[in-house]
Amino acid sequence: MAGSSRAVRSIKNVQIALFFYVVNLILQFFSRKIFLNYLGAEILGLNSTAQNLIGFLNLAELGIGSAIAFTLYKPIYQRDIQSINEIVTIQGWFYRKVAGIIIIAACTLMYFFPMIFAKTQLSLWYAYSSFIVLLISALLSYYVNYKQIVLVADQKEYKVTLCVQGGKVLKVILQIIAILFLANGYLFWLAIELLMSFVIAYFLNLTIRKEYPWLVISIVEGKRLNKKYPQIIKKTKQLFIHQISAFALSQTSPLIIFAYTSLTLVAIYGNYMLIISGILLLVKSLFRGMSAGIGSLVAEANKNKIKSFYWECVAVHFWTASVLCFGLFMLTRSFIILWIGEEYVLSQSSLYLLLIYTFLVITRASDYFISAYGLFQDVWAALVEAILNIGCSIFLGFYWGLNGIILGVVLSLFLVIFCWKPYFLFKYGFRESIKEYILKCVKYMLLIALSFIFSYYSYHYFFSIEVNHFIWWIIKMCLCMGIYIVISIPLFLLFDLNLRHFFSRIILFFRRKK
């Protein structure tokens, strides 16, 4: 019954997340085009830089949220209400301290804004106002929204999605209207950003109170209770280094690009990253709903079931990555031209590097299981990843510009995420040899290579459509993705038992649902 309940909640999380993924992705592309057309690449680049700086300040979170989620899996599985209240109380106590550190750091950082934004022609009020609004939105997570961790750990993330993503849809629509029809559209954009942050926080906490009326938090008790759960501090110390690594991966590239070039190139790079982020959000929407279920599965301590599901996750992540990367390879250039113009197209070499980056990020299935086991002690690996990421990006970027910066990110991902993390999971989680994983990776890469080659030549031999309108782009997308899926699925199903098991599991679930 536990496994069935996990499956039902995971599917529900996926369904809600996918719906909002599609809606938000369409709105993001539409709103970015309007932002570029009406406000310009300079303001867009500045806005992106301000978001990156907020990401830097959020390092002060230290990884407390992930440590709390790991600590909550067992009491939620056992329905231990007292422990849940105590653990979330500790989180609230920690987060108040973090918020104070962020406020002090933000004030210090704003003092240097004249130097940071010295190259821009825009007035500094753009930088200050953007940063302050985004800062207030971020602080709400530490003062108000942190209790959503209970919904996430309890596999009810769809309720969080309804509040947060539903509010985001409304926010983006209002911001589009403001830019299109109001004078000083960016001022209204910022005002809506701020207002909707409070609206989302209100409805999110209303949902939490209805779902868990027994969830009572007393912040003043946090310091005393902290001693009762020493594993939270232990995991937080380990996760802080991992947070630095995650920041280096996701936030530093635009800052380095800005340092070497201009806000305009930051905006152009941001256009591609919006597409890739949309792809990664799709994958996150598909699989994140399973993370709490994996935590519950690990809490059961049935190694055979854990390993069986792990191999299914690895197989489906590799296949999904191949499908999406083939689509990016075939469709990105024509989409950028139709969307915002040929002047915003990056070189093919930059696109190839971004494809490798996307593939490496999507295939990191081991992370779900590492988190479920609480294996965060490899802090040296996170430090190495951050140093490689930033160091290689700065060094290679000096010689090769944007390509060098992206290559630095790819190198750090490959060595630490693709190579080390699976080894770490097998050694300390499964306590088995990594040999089986290596053999399966080789097999998947061969299957992907064959699928790419057959699909590429099949499309160009039978179709090869010239795209000059979005309708033709959609037709090309359907043909490219359809050809790849038709060719790759039989290959994977023929040579891989794990993907067959995964598809069988999905088919069986929907049959039972009927």
Side-chain angles (χ1 to χ4, degrees), residues 319 451 484-494 499 503:
W319 179 76
S451 299
Y484 188 86
I485 290 171
V486 167
I487 290 174
S488 63
I489 283 185
L491 276 173
F492 271 80
L493 293 181
L494 181 62
L499 198 64
F503 283 142

Side-chain angles (χ1 to χ4, degrees), residues 462-482:
F462 291 107
F463 301 103
S464 193
I465 295 173
E466 182 180 344
V467 176
N468 52 23
H469 193 277
F470 266 115
I471 293 175
W472 286 109
W473 185 89
I474 292 170
I475 293 171
K476 180 180 179 180
M477 179 190 69
C478 295
L479 289 171
C480 288
M481 303 296 280

Side-chain angles (χ1 to χ4, degrees), residues 190-220:
L190 291 171
I192 294 166
E193 183 78 24
L194 184 61
L195 175 63
M196 288 306 299
S197 297
F198 284 96
V199 172
I200 290 170
Y202 172 78
F203 282 102
L204 181 59
N205 279 273
L206 185 64
T207 300
I208 294 168
R209 286 197 298 271
K210 287 182 178 179
E211 189 70 29
Y212 307 108
W214 43 261
L215 187 63
V216 180
I217 307 303
S218 177
I219 300 297
V220 294

Side-chain angles (χ1 to χ4, degrees), residues 131-161:
F131 183 78
I132 290 170
V133 167
L134 294 172
L135 174 65
I136 293 171
S137 298
L139 288 173
L140 286 174
S141 298
Y142 299 102
Y143 283 109
V144 182
N145 297 343
Y146 63 90
K147 288 180 282 187
Q148 66 180 283
I149 193 69
V150 182
L151 285 167
V152 175
D154 199 20
Q155 281 192 278
K156 296 178 181 177
E157 193 171 0
Y158 64 91
K159 293 181 181 289
V160 177
T161 304

